[in-house]
Amino acid sequence: MITLQSSDKDVFEIEQSILIQSGTIKNMVEDDFTFIPLPSVDTETLIKIIEYMKKHADKTDSKEKNIKEFDKDFMKKTLNELFALVFAANYLHISSLLELLYPSIADRIKDKITEAIRQIFSIRCDFTPEEERRIIMDNKWAHEGTEIEGTLD
Amino acid sequence: MCFGVETRVDFVLWLDSDVSLNILMCLNDPADVACDGAVSHLWLRFGFGTLILSRGLRVGCAMETHIDFVQWLKTDVSLDIMSRLNDPADVVRAGAVSRLWRQFVVTNRLSKQLCVGRFQQLSRILRITEPDLNAPEPKDVGSSNSNWEYLKREHEVYASLLQAIESSKSCQNDCIGYAVSASSTDYPDESIVNTLIPMDKYLNSPSYWSSKGHSDRNAPETLIYKLKADLCVITEVCMKPFEAYFQPGKPIYSAKSVRFRLGHRKSLREESDLLKMPQQQPADDKFMWTYTSEEFPMTQEKCLQRFKLPEPVVCVGGYLQILLLGRVQRQEMDDLFYICISHVRVVGLPLGSTFDVKVLEPSQEFVLNYNRDVFGCTLQSFSNRGHQDSNVAPTLSEELVVDAGIMEFFLQNHHPGFELMGWGDDDDDDEEMEEVGIL
């Protein structure tokens, strides 16, 4: 069993076989660490990461469909939660989770007009009106005919 | 570390990230977190970015705002996310969000990556030009400003090109320009030019191309055509084998199978030569083929057979080669195998008015010229044309009684320099012409 400690100082005891899905943890285990502090992962995110790894530890064929369903539901999180997961998965080198996260986040940008993207990410438009007009005119076709779609996260 | 004077150390710079993190983790006030993130780029990016992000996200969660990931995540992570956008419109819209996003999208050449990733044939495009601009290539840049200008243009053009290609899927235009050559031709009036005409009879004479006879049934033939534009998206090729209705048994001289290639001519110098060259001579060595399709079996039927490419393909350079593989029909008279085709049609979308292409020698790479003003109109017409049915070549229809004048005009347009040969001195009815050879 390996002990993980989140940035909030909460500890979790997990089986080694599950944790080796994380490249980072795997390396530390190979160096005989049994207590692994993770100062850049908070408790909430770590709980989710552990949940993911537990589900994916058992990759037999019969569970394949089950896992796909789980993944789909797992991605139904707020953008901030997804970013926190990207961040943690990147640090922990869990490539299968990253491969799941990237398209999910990209999906939140797809088919949205520029203004909607700004709203989602609370980005202030720093173009002058003239600049913005010119940018839109340069590729006018891309800015036409779309509505703000879906709910803002 | 040793300091003569007591100076304070930027501990984020000097200590291990983990240690710095542990120190900074003690910050509990979100305001502190935000302020410290603004201290310097180093504090922002190196390790401290980690903390900012995780704390910032929790702060953000509490305040229900979302972070600008392009700003906060490492470039390669943001790239991993952005590269999942597979619609050129999304890439363009992302590039209009803010200065930071614009810089990210443009300098990382997302639009080019998307376009070339989808259509490998476009990877040979060396640079983009516009007719009224003389921008330098990115490599021989004096100022970073001209490099930015080039990258911006590249961003727009590739997105537009991809959009044009995607829109073409619903277009069913005929892309053949004119006939260039056939690997062999039996009699002069059995020229490849006849394949441009949908009917297999014209002015009471049969209209088809015939290869020379061969005793080996595996002897292949090739037909080469110039397409309507230097840049074309091709979705399918249609061919109609010829039924020799005047021979006993009405044999159909189809090929066993066909394969298609798309490419460009090797040398600029030879353009005018190609127009003058006798179509009966093979010209395969004058071209470089950058795409080769799978082999499609042909049936021995005198109908227009459609060979749909698995994915639309971009032809850069404007030339199509049809490889006719294997012969199935012997001619009774001489016991030799022939291939005869009465009609060839290439379906897709010519992008000629908006994009044209110049081949660079000797590298065989391309310069893509973009006509910005035309593009807007072109896109509009795509959406209008979307529902058009498959069309025969523009001036002909099944019911039309074609007279020599119109035919000559048609052939002149498709093959400059062609002169209508002296067929059809007979008194036969026009009706007979309508009966036979209708698609």
Side-chain angles (χ1 to χ4, degrees), chain A residues 71-94:
Chain A
D71 284 348
K72 222 169 107 187
D73 283 331
F74 193 70
M75 287 298 117
K76 288 181 185 161
K77 294 187 166 31
T78 65
L79 259 178
N80 279 344
E81 288 172 313
L82 291 181
F83 284 129
L85 281 168
V86 162
F87 206 74
N90 193 32
Y91 171 69
L92 291 169
H93 286 95
I94 310 174

PDB file of all heavy atoms in Angstrom, chain A residues 71-94:
ATOM      1  N   ASP A  71     -16.180   6.778 -18.113  1.00  0.00           N
ATOM      2  CA  ASP A  71     -15.400   7.895 -18.648  1.00  0.00           C
ATOM      3  C   ASP A  71     -16.312   9.028 -19.094  1.00  0.00           C
ATOM      4  O   ASP A  71     -16.049  10.198 -18.861  1.00  0.00           O
ATOM      5  CB  ASP A  71     -14.547   7.432 -19.845  1.00  0.00           C
ATOM      6  CG  ASP A  71     -13.330   6.628 -19.406  1.00  0.00           C
ATOM      7  OD1 ASP A  71     -13.032   6.620 -18.194  1.00  0.00           O
ATOM      8  OD2 ASP A  71     -12.685   6.012 -20.268  1.00  0.00           O
ATOM      9  N   LYS A  72     -17.384   8.650 -19.763  1.00  0.00           N
ATOM     10  CA  LYS A  72     -18.310   9.653 -20.268  1.00  0.00           C
ATOM     11  C   LYS A  72     -18.883  10.475 -19.116  1.00  0.00           C
ATOM     12  O   LYS A  72     -18.938  11.700 -19.171  1.00  0.00           O
ATOM     13  CB  LYS A  72     -19.454   8.955 -21.023  1.00  0.00           C
ATOM     14  CG  LYS A  72     -19.829   9.656 -22.321  1.00  0.00           C
ATOM     15  CD  LYS A  72     -20.762   8.818 -23.179  1.00  0.00           C
ATOM     16  CE  LYS A  72     -22.163   9.405 -23.142  1.00  0.00           C
ATOM     17  NZ  LYS A  72     -23.183   8.592 -23.791  1.00  0.00           N
ATOM     18  N   ASP A  73     -19.277   9.775 -18.079  1.00  0.00           N
ATOM     19  CA  ASP A  73     -19.835  10.473 -16.920  1.00  0.00           C
ATOM     20  C   ASP A  73     -18.769  11.268 -16.171  1.00  0.00           C
ATOM     21  O   ASP A  73     -19.029  12.343 -15.650  1.00  0.00           O
ATOM     22  CB  ASP A  73     -20.469   9.477 -15.947  1.00  0.00           C
ATOM     23  CG  ASP A  73     -21.820   9.003 -16.436  1.00  0.00           C
ATOM     24  OD1 ASP A  73     -22.466   9.799 -17.157  1.00  0.00           O
ATOM     25  OD2 ASP A  73     -22.221   7.871 -16.129  1.00  0.00           O
ATOM     26  N   PHE A  74     -17.587  10.695 -16.139  1.00  0.00           N
ATOM     27  CA  PHE A  74     -16.500  11.327 -15.411  1.00  0.00           C
ATOM     28  C   PHE A  74     -16.186  12.700 -15.984  1.00  0.00           C
ATOM     29  O   PHE A  74     -15.792  13.613 -15.260  1.00  0.00           O
ATOM     30  CB  PHE A  74     -15.258  10.416 -15.495  1.00  0.00           C
ATOM     31  CG  PHE A  74     -14.166  10.774 -14.546  1.00  0.00           C
ATOM     32  CD1 PHE A  74     -14.334  10.575 -13.175  1.00  0.00           C
ATOM     33  CD2 PHE A  74     -12.967  11.288 -14.993  1.00  0.00           C
ATOM     34  CE1 PHE A  74     -13.310  10.894 -12.289  1.00  0.00           C
ATOM     35  CE2 PHE A  74     -11.944  11.616 -14.120  1.00  0.00           C
ATOM     36  CZ  PHE A  74     -12.111  11.414 -12.761  1.00  0.00           C
ATOM     37  N   MET A  75     -16.383  12.846 -17.284  1.00  0.00           N
ATOM     38  CA  MET A  75     -16.085  14.115 -17.933  1.00  0.00           C
ATOM     39  C   MET A  75     -17.166  15.172 -17.720  1.00  0.00           C
ATOM     40  O   MET A  75     -16.984  16.328 -18.078  1.00  0.00           O
ATOM     41  CB  MET A  75     -15.885  13.915 -19.445  1.00  0.00           C
ATOM     42  CG  MET A  75     -14.570  13.219 -19.797  1.00  0.00           C
ATOM     43  SD  MET A  75     -13.139  14.166 -19.270  1.00  0.00           S
ATOM     44  CE  MET A  75     -12.399  13.050 -18.097  1.00  0.00           C
ATOM     45  N   LYS A  76     -18.258  14.753 -17.118  1.00  0.00           N
ATOM     46  CA  LYS A  76     -19.330  15.732 -16.910  1.00  0.00           C
ATOM     47  C   LYS A  76     -19.028  16.541 -15.655  1.00  0.00           C
ATOM     48  O   LYS A  76     -19.645  16.366 -14.610  1.00  0.00           O
ATOM     49  CB  LYS A  76     -20.681  15.015 -16.752  1.00  0.00           C
ATOM     50  CG  LYS A  76     -21.181  14.427 -18.055  1.00  0.00           C
ATOM     51  CD  LYS A  76     -22.524  13.753 -17.883  1.00  0.00           C
ATOM     52  CE  LYS A  76     -22.918  13.064 -19.193  1.00  0.00           C
ATOM     53  NZ  LYS A  76     -23.932  12.041 -19.007  1.00  0.00           N
ATOM     54  N   LYS A  77     -18.035  17.385 -15.805  1.00  0.00           N
ATOM     55  CA  LYS A  77     -17.654  18.202 -14.660  1.00  0.00           C
ATOM     56  C   LYS A  77     -17.545  19.651 -15.126  1.00  0.00           C
ATOM     57  O   LYS A  77     -17.555  19.933 -16.314  1.00  0.00           O
ATOM     58  CB  LYS A  77     -16.290  17.733 -14.137  1.00  0.00           C
ATOM     59  CG  LYS A  77     -16.336  16.328 -13.553  1.00  0.00           C
ATOM     60  CD  LYS A  77     -15.037  15.976 -12.897  1.00  0.00           C
ATOM     61  CE  LYS A  77     -15.121  14.752 -12.009  1.00  0.00           C
ATOM     62  NZ  LYS A  77     -16.053  13.709 -12.354  1.00  0.00           N
ATOM     63  N   THR A  78     -17.418  20.532 -14.169  1.00  0.00           N
ATOM     64  CA  THR A  78     -17.239  21.931 -14.565  1.00  0.00           C
ATOM     65  C   THR A  78     -15.862  22.101 -15.184  1.00  0.00           C
ATOM     66  O   THR A  78     -14.957  21.296 -14.965  1.00  0.00           O
ATOM     67  CB  THR A  78     -17.318  22.883 -13.352  1.00  0.00           C
ATOM     68  OG1 THR A  78     -16.208  22.610 -12.492  1.00  0.00           O
ATOM     69  CG2 THR A  78     -18.622  22.709 -12.601  1.00  0.00           C
ATOM     70  N   LEU A  79     -15.731  23.153 -15.950  1.00  0.00           N
ATOM     71  CA  LEU A  79     -14.461  23.426 -16.610  1.00  0.00           C
ATOM     72  C   LEU A  79     -13.320  23.537 -15.603  1.00  0.00           C
ATOM     73  O   LEU A  79     -12.226  23.031 -15.837  1.00  0.00           O
ATOM     74  CB  LEU A  79     -14.544  24.725 -17.407  1.00  0.00           C
ATOM     75  CG  LEU A  79     -14.745  24.546 -18.904  1.00  0.00           C
ATOM     76  CD1 LEU A  79     -14.853  25.900 -19.560  1.00  0.00           C
ATOM     77  CD2 LEU A  79     -13.611  23.768 -19.517  1.00  0.00           C
ATOM     78  N   ASN A  80     -13.564  24.201 -14.514  1.00  0.00           N
ATOM     79  CA  ASN A  80     -12.509  24.360 -13.520  1.00  0.00           C
ATOM     80  C   ASN A  80     -12.062  23.014 -12.980  1.00  0.00           C
ATOM     81  O   ASN A  80     -10.872  22.777 -12.773  1.00  0.00           O
ATOM     82  CB  ASN A  80     -12.966  25.259 -12.372  1.00  0.00           C
ATOM     83  CG  ASN A  80     -12.848  26.722 -12.766  1.00  0.00           C
ATOM     84  OD1 ASN A  80     -12.180  27.063 -13.729  1.00  0.00           O
ATOM     85  ND2 ASN A  80     -13.517  27.586 -12.015  1.00  0.00           N
ATOM     86  N   GLU A  81     -13.048  22.140 -12.753  1.00  0.00           N
ATOM     87  CA  GLU A  81     -12.690  20.798 -12.279  1.00  0.00           C
ATOM     88  C   GLU A  81     -11.851  20.087 -13.333  1.00  0.00           C
ATOM     89  O   GLU A  81     -10.878  19.401 -13.016  1.00  0.00           O
ATOM     90  CB  GLU A  81     -13.957  19.979 -11.988  1.00  0.00           C
ATOM     91  CG  GLU A  81     -14.709  20.428 -10.749  1.00  0.00           C
ATOM     92  CD  GLU A  81     -16.058  19.720 -10.611  1.00  0.00           C
ATOM     93  OE1 GLU A  81     -16.811  19.651 -11.609  1.00  0.00           O
ATOM     94  OE2 GLU A  81     -16.346  19.235  -9.509  1.00  0.00           O
ATOM     95  N   LEU A  82     -12.237  20.253 -14.590  1.00  0.00           N
ATOM     96  CA  LEU A  82     -11.485  19.600 -15.657  1.00  0.00           C
ATOM     97  C   LEU A  82     -10.064  20.135 -15.734  1.00  0.00           C
ATOM     98  O   LEU A  82      -9.110  19.381 -15.925  1.00  0.00           O
ATOM     99  CB  LEU A  82     -12.185  19.779 -17.013  1.00  0.00           C
ATOM    100  CG  LEU A  82     -13.504  19.058 -17.214  1.00  0.00           C
ATOM    101  CD1 LEU A  82     -14.046  19.321 -18.613  1.00  0.00           C
ATOM    102  CD2 LEU A  82     -13.374  17.562 -17.002  1.00  0.00           C
ATOM    103  N   PHE A  83      -9.921  21.446 -15.582  1.00  0.00           N
ATOM    104  CA  PHE A  83      -8.573  22.016 -15.615  1.00  0.00           C
ATOM    105  C   PHE A  83      -7.736  21.509 -14.448  1.00  0.00           C
ATOM    106  O   PHE A  83      -6.555  21.220 -14.615  1.00  0.00           O
ATOM    107  CB  PHE A  83      -8.617  23.537 -15.581  1.00  0.00           C
ATOM    108  CG  PHE A  83      -9.007  24.132 -16.895  1.00  0.00           C
ATOM    109  CD1 PHE A  83     -10.017  25.070 -16.965  1.00  0.00           C
ATOM    110  CD2 PHE A  83      -8.386  23.741 -18.060  1.00  0.00           C
ATOM    111  CE1 PHE A  83     -10.390  25.610 -18.185  1.00  0.00           C
ATOM    112  CE2 PHE A  83      -8.750  24.274 -19.283  1.00  0.00           C
ATOM    113  CZ  PHE A  83      -9.755  25.214 -19.344  1.00  0.00           C
ATOM    114  N   ALA A  84      -8.358  21.437 -13.287  1.00  0.00           N
ATOM    115  CA  ALA A  84      -7.631  20.923 -12.130  1.00  0.00           C
ATOM    116  C   ALA A  84      -7.172  19.499 -12.408  1.00  0.00           C
ATOM    117  O   ALA A  84      -6.049  19.104 -12.056  1.00  0.00           O
ATOM    118  CB  ALA A  84      -8.522  20.965 -10.891  1.00  0.00           C
ATOM    119  N   LEU A  85      -8.035  18.729 -13.073  1.00  0.00           N
ATOM    120  CA  LEU A  85      -7.677  17.351 -13.417  1.00  0.00           C
ATOM    121  C   LEU A  85      -6.546  17.316 -14.446  1.00  0.00           C
ATOM    122  O   LEU A  85      -5.643  16.494 -14.351  1.00  0.00           O
ATOM    123  CB  LEU A  85      -8.900  16.606 -13.960  1.00  0.00           C
ATOM    124  CG  LEU A  85      -9.866  16.107 -12.892  1.00  0.00           C
ATOM    125  CD1 LEU A  85     -11.179  15.661 -13.541  1.00  0.00           C
ATOM    126  CD2 LEU A  85      -9.256  14.955 -12.111  1.00  0.00           C
ATOM    127  N   VAL A  86      -6.619  18.200 -15.444  1.00  0.00           N
ATOM    128  CA  VAL A  86      -5.558  18.258 -16.460  1.00  0.00           C
ATOM    129  C   VAL A  86      -4.243  18.506 -15.768  1.00  0.00           C
ATOM    130  O   VAL A  86      -3.225  17.865 -16.032  1.00  0.00           O
ATOM    131  CB  VAL A  86      -5.799  19.409 -17.474  1.00  0.00           C
ATOM    132  CG1 VAL A  86      -4.531  19.737 -18.227  1.00  0.00           C
ATOM    133  CG2 VAL A  86      -6.876  19.012 -18.463  1.00  0.00           C
ATOM    134  N   PHE A  87      -4.281  19.461 -14.892  1.00  0.00           N
ATOM    135  CA  PHE A  87      -3.113  19.859 -14.193  1.00  0.00           C
ATOM    136  C   PHE A  87      -2.515  18.710 -13.406  1.00  0.00           C
ATOM    137  O   PHE A  87      -1.312  18.413 -13.494  1.00  0.00           O
ATOM    138  CB  PHE A  87      -3.454  21.021 -13.300  1.00  0.00           C
ATOM    139  CG  PHE A  87      -2.277  21.783 -13.083  1.00  0.00           C
ATOM    140  CD1 PHE A  87      -1.786  22.563 -14.085  1.00  0.00           C
ATOM    141  CD2 PHE A  87      -1.582  21.625 -11.935  1.00  0.00           C
ATOM    142  CE1 PHE A  87      -0.619  23.212 -13.945  1.00  0.00           C
ATOM    143  CE2 PHE A  87      -0.390  22.288 -11.784  1.00  0.00           C
ATOM    144  CZ  PHE A  87       0.089  23.080 -12.780  1.00  0.00           C
ATOM    145  N   ALA A  88      -3.368  18.050 -12.636  1.00  0.00           N
ATOM    146  CA  ALA A  88      -2.907  16.933 -11.815  1.00  0.00           C
ATOM    147  C   ALA A  88      -2.463  15.764 -12.689  1.00  0.00           C
ATOM    148  O   ALA A  88      -1.426  15.143 -12.441  1.00  0.00           O
ATOM    149  CB  ALA A  88      -4.020  16.503 -10.864  1.00  0.00           C
ATOM    150  N   ALA A  89      -3.243  15.454 -13.726  1.00  0.00           N
ATOM    151  CA  ALA A  89      -2.914  14.307 -14.587  1.00  0.00           C
ATOM    152  C   ALA A  89      -1.609  14.552 -15.328  1.00  0.00           C
ATOM    153  O   ALA A  89      -0.857  13.615 -15.605  1.00  0.00           O
ATOM    154  CB  ALA A  89      -4.043  14.042 -15.568  1.00  0.00           C
ATOM    155  N   ASN A  90      -1.362  15.814 -15.647  1.00  0.00           N
ATOM    156  CA  ASN A  90      -0.119  16.174 -16.306  1.00  0.00           C
ATOM    157  C   ASN A  90       1.051  15.944 -15.369  1.00  0.00           C
ATOM    158  O   ASN A  90       2.052  15.328 -15.720  1.00  0.00           O
ATOM    159  CB  ASN A  90      -0.197  17.630 -16.744  1.00  0.00           C
ATOM    160  CG  ASN A  90       0.903  17.994 -17.702  1.00  0.00           C
ATOM    161  OD1 ASN A  90       1.350  17.162 -18.475  1.00  0.00           O
ATOM    162  ND2 ASN A  90       1.333  19.224 -17.654  1.00  0.00           N
ATOM    163  N   TYR A  91       0.899  16.427 -14.148  1.00  0.00           N
ATOM    164  CA  TYR A  91       1.953  16.271 -13.147  1.00  0.00           C
ATOM    165  C   TYR A  91       2.180  14.800 -12.817  1.00  0.00           C
ATOM    166  O   TYR A  91       3.308  14.348 -12.652  1.00  0.00           O
ATOM    167  CB  TYR A  91       1.568  17.064 -11.894  1.00  0.00           C
ATOM    168  CG  TYR A  91       2.473  16.815 -10.720  1.00  0.00           C
ATOM    169  CD1 TYR A  91       3.788  17.267 -10.742  1.00  0.00           C
ATOM    170  CD2 TYR A  91       2.027  16.124  -9.604  1.00  0.00           C
ATOM    171  CE1 TYR A  91       4.634  17.032  -9.655  1.00  0.00           C
ATOM    172  CE2 TYR A  91       2.857  15.884  -8.528  1.00  0.00           C
ATOM    173  CZ  TYR A  91       4.161  16.336  -8.559  1.00  0.00           C
ATOM    174  OH  TYR A  91       4.982  16.092  -7.491  1.00  0.00           O
ATOM    175  N   LEU A  92       1.069  14.057 -12.730  1.00  0.00           N
ATOM    176  CA  LEU A  92       1.179  12.648 -12.352  1.00  0.00           C
ATOM    177  C   LEU A  92       1.453  11.725 -13.536  1.00  0.00           C
ATOM    178  O   LEU A  92       1.576  10.525 -13.376  1.00  0.00           O
ATOM    179  CB  LEU A  92      -0.116  12.198 -11.652  1.00  0.00           C
ATOM    180  CG  LEU A  92      -0.361  12.812 -10.273  1.00  0.00           C
ATOM    181  CD1 LEU A  92      -1.788  12.518  -9.800  1.00  0.00           C
ATOM    182  CD2 LEU A  92       0.639  12.288  -9.256  1.00  0.00           C
ATOM    183  N   HIS A  93       1.507  12.308 -14.742  1.00  0.00           N
ATOM    184  CA  HIS A  93       1.739  11.508 -15.959  1.00  0.00           C
ATOM    185  C   HIS A  93       0.742  10.366 -16.116  1.00  0.00           C
ATOM    186  O   HIS A  93       1.121   9.201 -16.212  1.00  0.00           O
ATOM    187  CB  HIS A  93       3.162  10.939 -15.968  1.00  0.00           C
ATOM    188  CG  HIS A  93       4.186  11.979 -16.271  1.00  0.00           C
ATOM    189  ND1 HIS A  93       4.869  12.653 -15.283  1.00  0.00           N
ATOM    190  CD2 HIS A  93       4.602  12.498 -17.426  1.00  0.00           C
ATOM    191  CE1 HIS A  93       5.682  13.531 -15.823  1.00  0.00           C
ATOM    192  NE2 HIS A  93       5.544  13.476 -17.119  1.00  0.00           N
ATOM    193  N   ILE A  94      -0.534  10.725 -16.119  1.00  0.00           N
ATOM    194  CA  ILE A  94      -1.553   9.706 -16.399  1.00  0.00           C
ATOM    195  C   ILE A  94      -2.072  10.002 -17.800  1.00  0.00           C
ATOM    196  O   ILE A  94      -3.043  10.727 -17.999  1.00  0.00           O
ATOM    197  CB  ILE A  94      -2.715   9.760 -15.388  1.00  0.00           C
ATOM    198  CG1 ILE A  94      -2.176   9.781 -13.961  1.00  0.00           C
ATOM    199  CG2 ILE A  94      -3.650   8.564 -15.592  1.00  0.00           C
ATOM    200  CD1 ILE A  94      -3.258   9.986 -12.910  1.00  0.00           C
TER     201      ILE A  94
END
